[in-house]
Amino acid sequence: MLTERSAPEIDHPLFNSYTLDTAYDEMFTAEGRVRPPYMPLYRRLLELSAEDLHGRQRYADLTFLNQGITFTVYGDTEGTERIFPYDLLPRIITSSEWAVIEAGLKQRIMALNMFLNDIYHEGKILADKVIPRELVYTCHHYRREMRGVDVPGKIYTSVVGTDLVRLPSGEFAVLEDNLRVPSGVSYMLTNRGVMKRAFPRLFAHTGVRPIDHYGQVLLTTLRSLAPSHRPDPTIVVLTPGVFNSAYFEHTFLARQMGVELVEGRDLLVHDSVVYMRTTAGLRQVDVIYRRIDDDFIDPLAFRPDSILGVAGLFNAYRAGNVVLANAVGTGVADDKAIYAYVPKIIQYYMGVEPILPNVETYLCEDDRQRSYVLDHLDKLVVKSVGESGGYGMLIGPHSTAEERERFRRLIQHEPRNYIAQPTLQLSRAPCFVDGAVEPRHVDLRPYILNSGDDQITIVPGGLTRVALRKGSLVVNSSQGGGSKDTWVLFE
C-alpha cells in the first residue's frame, strides 16, 4: 500500500496537491527537499500564479495547433487527429546522470548491431546456445531474406529510440528497445522550441545542453551510409502517407534535413537501381530513411497487398545499390522476448556487464515462468512481444477480472507471443495539471544515431513521456499520455 505525504518544503498554492509516495520523485527528495538541479525551476514557479502558467500553457497549445503537431489514434470514435498533449514544466537530468545513460546506450546499440550481423550470417551466438535458436527464428520480425546480406558498415540500426525508466532507487533501467521505426523525435525538438519561448529567462540561465542540431546529425549519419562511389548521395524520407500517425514527424524531419519526402508511388526500380520521379526526370536514390515497416516496403518480397512500398526495392537493397535505414530485419532485436537476453548479448559480444540494467522479465514460452505469470496476473504487466504504443498490454493491478481472464486465454493459446514484467513504480515529475503542480509518472526515450566505427551520437535529451492521467502508468500518447521537454544540464 503506497503512503502519500506532502513535502515539507512545499508551501505555495500551486503545490497544494503535490504529494510524495514510494516512487522516485524527480523534483523532491524522499524527505521533501528540492533537488539542487530543480531549484531554479522551483524558485521560478514560486514567483508565478496559476493564471500565469495557464497563459503559458495556452501559448504552448496554440503553437502546437498552428504548427499542425498532431498524432493519430486509430479506432477512436471521437476522431483520430489530435494535438499532441504537452506539459509545461521541464524534466531535468544532471550531467553525471546523462554520462551513465550515454555510455549505457552506446554499449547497448553496439552489442545489438553485433547480434543482428551475427544472426543473419554465422549465427555464433545461436550455436553457442546463449539464446535459444527457436526464439530468434519464431520472431515475427526475423527476416530469412536477410540471411547473408551484407549491410554497409554492418550498421543495421542507424536510428534508435530506447525507452528508459527511473526506478525507486534512482537508477535508470531499459524498459524496451525500438530499432525498427522509432518515432517521437520531432516532438522532442518542438517541445524545446516551445519551452524556450514559454520560459525564456529560466532556460537561458539554467545551462541546458542543446538539441537543435539533431536534424543535421541525422543527415550526416544517413550520408555516411551511402555507397562510396556516390560522393553526393541523394537521400529521401519514405513515408506511408498523410494518414500515418507520425506523418507530421516525417515532414518535419525531411524539412530539417533539406531532403525530399516521398511515398512509394514517387519511386521506381529499374535494373535493381532506385529512382525518384521528379519534374526534371528520374533521379537515382542512394539512401532511404524509411518510416515504413518491413512488411509493407516491397510487395514483391513481403506483403503482396502492400500499396505503400516500392516493387523491387528489396532486390535493389540486396544488390547494394540503395541503403535502407534502418536495415530490413532489425525488428528481431526489439522483440520483447529477445529483450530479456540483451544483458547476455552484451556479455557475449563485448565481454562486460551492462551499464544500464534490464527490467526483470518473465518469458511465457517457458513453462515454469508461464505458470508464475498466470498465478500473478493481478500483480504483473503483460505485454505482447511485437506490439507498441501501449497496445496489447495488461496492467495487472489496474485490470478487471474479465481482462485478466482474456489475457490468461491469450497466453495459454500463444505463449511465445507474451512476456511479463513487475508493475514498476515509474519515477514522477512535476506537471502543471488543472491549475496546480502535481506529480505524474514519466519515462524517457533518448534518440541514438549510429554511423559505425564507434561513431554513435546521442543528442543530450530525449522525449520525456508523461502519464497525464492521475495514477496512470501508461505514458503512450495513444493511451492518454503526453510529453515534456527534457533538460540535460552542462554541469
Side-chain angles (χ1 to χ4, degrees):
M1 183 76 178
L2 299 181
T3 59
E4 293 197 348
R5 62 197 185 282
S6 296
E9 279 197 6
I10 300 173
D11 185 19
H12 188 277
L14 279 175
F15 289 89
N16 281 347
S17 302
Y18 206 104
T19 56
L20 303 175
D21 62 14
T22 56
Y24 183 94
D25 192 276
E26 300 283 340
M27 190 175 197
F28 295 97
T29 66
E31 296 75 31
R33 306 299 178 189
V34 179
R35 299 185 190 276
Y38 274 88
M39 188 57 76
L41 173 62
Y42 178 70
R43 288 173 176 158
R44 184 71 180 110
L45 291 175
L46 295 184
E47 298 170 359
L48 300 173
S49 67
E51 187 52 42
D52 291 327
L53 291 174
H54 269 305
R56 293 164 198 253
Q57 185 70 60
R58 284 193 295 268
Y59 164 77
D61 293 342
L62 187 61
T63 300
F64 277 83
L65 178 65
N66 290 338
Q67 293 185 22
I69 302 172
T70 62
F71 69 99
T72 300
V73 180
Y74 298 113
D76 192 300
T77 58
E78 297 179 4
T80 59
E81 201 74 11
R82 296 183 183 176
I83 301 301
F84 196 80
Y86 171 74
D87 179 66
L88 197 59
L89 308 183
R91 191 250 190 98
I92 301 174
I93 296 174
T94 67
S95 178
S96 58
E97 289 173 333
W98 182 252
V100 175
I101 291 172
E102 189 173 41
L105 291 176
K106 287 182 177 180
Q107 177 196 64
R108 194 173 183 95
I109 297 314
M110 290 174 65
L112 287 173
N113 264 287
M114 293 177 187
F115 168 70
L116 288 165
N117 184 68
D118 186 12
I119 63 170
Y120 285 122
H121 288 82
E122 297 181 14
K124 291 181 179 178
I125 196 169
L126 306 180
D128 290 339
K129 299 182 179 180
V130 176
I131 298 178
R133 192 181 297 269
E134 62 274 13
L135 191 68
V136 172
Y137 292 162
T138 57
C139 175
H140 172 71
H141 299 293
Y142 177 78
R143 300 296 180 189
R144 286 171 172 78
E145 299 88 345
M146 285 295 293
R147 289 293 301 270
V149 176
D150 295 322
V151 302
K154 299 180 180 179
I155 305 169
Y156 285 80
T157 56
S158 305
V159 184
V160 180
T162 300
D163 292 342
L164 306 178
V165 294
R166 198 199 286 264
L167 305 176
S169 64
E171 176 186 40
F172 281 97
V174 177
L175 184 62
E176 62 182 58
D177 302 288
N178 299 283
L179 294 95
R180 283 174 285 163
V181 190
S183 63
V185 72
S186 62
Y187 303 123
M188 174 190 80
L189 296 169
T190 50
N191 284 354
R192 175 60 54 86
V194 170
M195 178 58 68
K196 283 181 177 180
R197 292 187 288 273
F199 287 100
R201 254 192 323 139
L202 178 65
F203 184 88
H205 293 95
T206 304
V208 183
R209 295 172 65 177
I211 60 172
D212 304 338
H213 57 296
Y214 177 88
Q216 289 307 303
V217 178
L218 175 59
L219 179 61
T220 300
T221 299
L222 296 175
R223 288 179 64 90
S224 72
L225 301 175
S228 57
H229 65 278
R230 300 283 293 176
D232 187 22
T234 296
I235 299 168
V236 298
V237 177
L238 177 60
T239 175
V242 296
F243 296 108
N244 184 263
S245 62
Y247 184 71
F248 164 77
E249 177 156 300
H250 306 164
T251 61
F252 180 90
L253 291 175
R255 189 167 59 248
Q256 286 270 308
M257 292 189 286
V259 304
E260 295 291 338
L261 178 70
V262 300
E263 297 182 27
R265 60 189 175 182
D266 300 318
L267 304 177
L268 63 88
V269 177
H270 179 67
D271 288 343
S272 294
V273 176
V274 181
Y275 296 93
M276 173 174 54
R277 294 182 172 94
T278 75
T279 55
L282 297 180
R283 182 178 179 185
Q284 184 174 343
V285 174
D286 303 293
V287 181
I288 299 175
Y289 177 32
R290 65 183 181 104
R291 300 301 296 259
I292 296 178
D293 286 337
D294 291 354
D295 284 339
F296 303 98
I297 202 164
D298 182 348
L300 298 182
F302 303 111
R303 281 185 56 160
D305 61 340
S306 172
I307 59 173
L308 302 176
V310 186
L313 177 57
F314 188 70
N315 276 343
Y317 174 61
R318 196 160 44 188
N321 294 328
V322 70
V323 177
L324 296 177
N326 289 337
V328 174
T330 57
V332 65
D334 65 18
D335 180 287
K336 292 178 177 64
I338 299 294
Y339 158 91
Y341 288 88
V342 173
K344 291 183 178 181
I345 290 173
I346 293 172
Q347 293 164 350
Y348 181 80
Y349 293 111
M350 306 186 76
V352 296
E353 293 296 316
I355 296 171
L356 293 173
N358 266 22
V359 172
E360 183 181 12
T361 301
Y362 303 98
L363 301 175
C364 291
E365 188 177 45
D366 180 90
D367 292 343
R368 182 178 57 82
Q369 295 182 55
R370 181 171 66 254
S371 176
Y372 177 84
V373 169
L374 293 175
D375 288 343
H376 296 84
L377 284 175
D378 60 331
K379 297 180 176 63
L380 299 171
V381 175
V382 180
K383 300 177 182 179
S384 174
V385 297
E387 293 283 356
S388 60
Y391 296 103
M393 184 168 68
L394 174 81
I395 300 180
H398 298 167
S399 64
T400 65
E402 291 78 11
E403 289 171 335
R404 291 193 293 275
E405 184 56 34
R406 184 170 71 87
F407 266 82
R408 179 184 302 277
R409 292 194 299 269
L410 289 171
I411 292 169
Q412 291 171 334
H413 176 68
E414 196 175 1
R416 166 65 177 84
N417 196 43
Y418 292 92
I419 59 98
Q421 295 170 330
T423 303
L424 299 175
Q425 278 296 101
L426 308 183
S427 66
R428 304 198 305 176
C431 297
F432 183 61
V433 182
D434 297 330
V437 178
E438 298 183 3
R440 292 292 187 268
H441 293 290
V442 296
D443 75 356
L444 175 65
R445 178 178 291 182
Y447 294 92
I448 306 105
L449 298 172
N450 182 12
S451 300
D453 297 326
D454 297 332
Q455 296 298 310
I456 298 176
T457 302
I458 307 174
V459 174
L463 184 68
T464 288
R465 301 185 299 174
V466 189
L468 291 173
R469 295 172 183 163
K470 189 170 184 177
S472 173
L473 295 171
V474 182
V475 298
N476 308 86
S477 57
S478 56
Q479 308 292 312
S483 71
K484 58 167 67 216
D485 194 15
T486 307
W487 292 6
V488 175
L489 305 182
F490 276 110
E491 297 294 338

